[in-house]
Amino acid sequence: MARQGVESIRRIDPEQRAERLKAAGYNVFGLASEDIYIDLLTDSGTSAMSDSQWAGLMRGDESYAGGRNFFRFEQTVRDIFGLPHVIHTHQGRVAENLLFSTLAPGDIVPNNTHFDTTRANVEVNGGTAVDLVIPEGRDPRAPHPFKGNMDLSRLESCLADNPGRVPVVFLTLTNNSGGGQPVSLENVRGTSEICRRYGVPLFIYSCRFAENAWFVREREAGQAGRPVADIVRDIFSLSDGCTMSAKKDGLANIGGFVALRNETWVERLKNKLILIEGFPTYGGLAGRDLEAVAIGLREVLNEEYLAFRVGQVTEFGEALAAAGVPVVEPIGGHAVYVDARAFAPHLPPAQYPAQALTIALYLEGGIRAVEIGGVMFGRPDPARPGVEILPDLDLVRLAVPRRVYTNSHLEYVADVLVRIHHRPETVRGIRIARQAPVLRHFTAAFELV
């Protein structure tokens, strides 16, 4: 799985960083990649592909219909997830849009915690996204090994109180909005049992399915030493379908899919796919990319890879915690999350401490991270004009791309964060100067307070 080629990186001087950031409206999404020294904005589509995947690109069949790469991809998804009907898209948010625009307009969709595009696709179609993670999932310091678990009693109450209004229940593996925390197999089983009792299908948001299965193997009683592939099959056997961005645990730079059991939904979803993405055997992707995803989905189940992948992120997070930086614990699988409210207690939540810390991190060390907190998930309070309802957590996510950075790169990031932590008063609050009505964090402009 060697990386093909080495990409040079540079660290521009502090004055240039300040100029670039101001020109971008203090939004790190607006920075050019060439001005980033270490880029931990996301683990989505940023992985280094293996030599096998690069070879697979050369086998791309670019036929408009019926290309051989689709059938290899389709069989791979069936083999790994055990779901018979596969509808692929160019990335995960299109899979979400297909599903929610077709099945759930105006309805309630429970989840352990919706991530940004999932929530947006529910809400833009008139639905209500409800988060039902266990209480420990909202406490950065709680030691629970499966803080992504669904709160089963709240889920049952939601379904009992809203008969006919819940078309689907979702589980996000791992729980990205809450610190990359896993969901136990026992909790998937309990969620599935409740859904079946109420006749509601269960779907899994499966972007990091392999990392979640690794945590099940390492942390859950009775699962030690089991093959990760078997745990994956057990998890998805309890579901009625899944959505996925293959840009995460597909180890690819593009791609996604919906997979499901219900044959009656397939035609409706494919008709929508043809309208917005493409013919069902290419679904908005080149044949070569389908081949890369098919190979990546099998490679990600390699247990030596998973041990290194999760181990690298864990070591990074533990180094920060040992230095006194407040991080979400236990450390998640794909990222380390800094608790910005604890990091910068001098800033009120309304000044978006996590976004303020992402700004400070770039100014100090040329490092790009992403805010997962008040900017991403805040919403207007209907009872108090000009005031926002803010989420329980205000986090800075340091997402580690797969097979890209060495431990030395991450040691540099840790050193920079520790330096800022020793003088947290240099983290300045911000206000929003301009924002979009949906997914505002991507394009908003900010001003320093």
Side-chain angles (χ1 to χ4, degrees):
M1 298 185 187
R3 186 178 182 195
Q4 302 301 295
V6 176
E7 180 181 345
S8 64
I9 56 177
R10 64 173 188 156
R11 181 171 53 178
I12 61 176
D13 63 47
E15 292 76 17
Q16 289 176 305
R17 293 199 292 269
E19 290 172 3
R20 303 290 199 280
L21 194 56
K22 184 177 181 180
Y26 294 98
N27 187 334
V28 294
F29 280 99
L31 294 169
S33 63
E34 63 184 15
D35 294 331
I36 308 297
Y37 187 50
I38 304 291
D39 200 346
L40 305 183
L41 181 75
T42 182
D43 63 319
S44 178
T46 57
S47 301
M49 292 199 300
S50 70
D51 51 1
S52 296
Q53 287 177 294
W54 279 103
L57 294 181
M58 299 298 103
R59 298 193 297 268
D61 177 356
E62 306 307 339
S63 303
Y64 185 92
R68 63 178 175 270
N69 307 111
F70 166 75
F71 298 108
R72 175 175 165 82
F73 164 82
E74 180 183 52
Q75 191 57 51
T76 298
V77 174
R78 288 172 174 169
D79 290 346
I80 292 172
F81 299 94
L83 297 165
H85 304 293
V86 183
I87 301 168
H88 62 295
T89 60
H90 85 274
Q91 60 178 3
R93 69 190 64 181
V94 181
E96 296 166 357
N97 183 267
L98 278 176
L99 198 65
F100 296 131
S101 65
T102 304
L103 304 177
D107 288 322
I108 295 169
V109 179
N111 201 326
N112 49 355
T113 312
H114 291 79
F115 198 55
D116 57 352
T117 61
T118 322
R119 179 180 302 279
N121 273 303
V122 171
E123 294 178 348
V124 80
N125 285 293
T128 302
V130 178
D131 294 338
L132 301 176
V133 74
I134 59 173
E136 293 89 340
R138 298 188 295 274
D139 179 355
R141 249 64 68 195
H144 196 291
F146 292 101
K147 289 166 70 170
N149 280 356
M150 180 79 81
D151 188 322
L152 299 181
S153 62
R154 292 173 68 205
L155 174 63
E156 181 138 27
S157 296
C158 179
L159 297 183
D161 294 345
N162 297 282
R165 294 197 59 209
V166 181
V168 64
V169 170
F170 259 74
L171 261 180
T172 301
L173 310 182
T174 55
N175 188 27
N176 196 2
S177 299
Q181 299 297 309
V183 176
S184 70
L185 178 57
E186 178 185 24
N187 189 255
V188 179
R189 188 172 289 115
T191 303
S192 177
E193 288 171 357
I194 292 171
C195 288
R196 297 197 191 294
R197 194 156 64 244
Y198 285 87
V200 177
L202 170 63
F203 268 61
I204 293 175
Y205 179 80
S206 53
C207 297
R208 299 171 182 88
F209 74 97
E211 292 173 8
N212 196 95
W214 179 259
F215 281 122
V216 168
R217 170 188 157 120
E218 296 299 299
R219 296 181 182 176
E220 189 164 352
Q223 302 300 319
R226 290 191 62 203
V228 167
D230 289 354
I231 295 172
V232 169
R233 286 298 290 263
D234 283 355
I235 288 172
F236 287 87
S237 72
L238 297 164
S239 77
D240 297 284
C242 71
T243 60
M244 183 170 184
S245 167
K247 297 164 66 176
K248 286 85 167 176
D249 270 358
L251 301 179
N253 303 131
I254 199 70
F257 60 86
V258 182
L260 63 161
R261 301 187 194 282
N262 189 331
E263 190 172 4
T264 62
W265 294 357
V266 172
E267 185 174 358
R268 295 167 62 192
L269 292 171
K270 283 187 175 179
N271 287 341
K272 188 72 174 284
L273 178 82
I274 292 170
L275 179 66
I276 64 174
E277 283 280 89
F279 192 73
T281 55
Y282 81 87
L285 286 170
R288 57 184 175 271
D289 293 315
L290 281 168
E291 187 73 14
V293 172
I295 295 168
L297 286 170
R298 294 191 186 277
E299 287 183 349
V300 80
L301 297 173
N302 181 294
E303 291 167 9
E304 290 182 356
Y305 156 78
L306 285 167
F308 176 80
R309 162 66 175 166
V310 175
Q312 183 184 46
V313 175
T314 300
E315 184 177 335
F316 176 35
E318 288 177 347
L320 286 169
V325 176
V327 297
V328 175
E329 298 181 85
I331 307 302
H334 71 285
V336 175
Y337 293 69
V338 179
D339 180 358
R341 290 176 187 163
F343 189 103
H346 62 288
L347 295 182
Q351 290 185 13
Y352 308 108
Q355 183 66 25
L357 182 53
T358 66
I359 291 169
L361 192 58
Y362 178 71
L363 291 174
E364 179 72 21
I367 299 159
R368 179 159 63 175
V370 73
E371 185 262 16
I372 297 185
V375 175
M376 186 177 285
F377 293 119
R379 63 189 189 278
D381 185 340
R384 297 179 296 168
V387 176
E388 287 198 329
I389 299 172
L390 298 172
D392 294 324
L393 299 175
D394 205 43
L395 307 175
V396 173
R397 186 187 70 180
L398 304 161
V400 181
R402 296 161 182 82
R403 306 189 295 206
V404 173
Y405 290 121
T406 67
N407 290 341
S408 296
H409 290 107
L410 300 181
E411 288 169 7
Y412 168 79
V413 177
D415 288 344
V416 172
L417 260 172
V418 170
R419 287 205 306 269
I420 300 172
H421 189 239
H422 287 159
R423 40 190 178 84
E425 69 282 354
T426 61
V427 181
R428 295 176 59 184
I430 59 143
R431 66 172 66 91
I432 298 176
R434 186 183 71 250
Q435 60 182 299
V438 179
L439 295 172
R440 66 182 183 180
H441 52 289
F442 287 120
T443 58
F446 305 99
E447 296 172 347
L448 298 177
V449 173

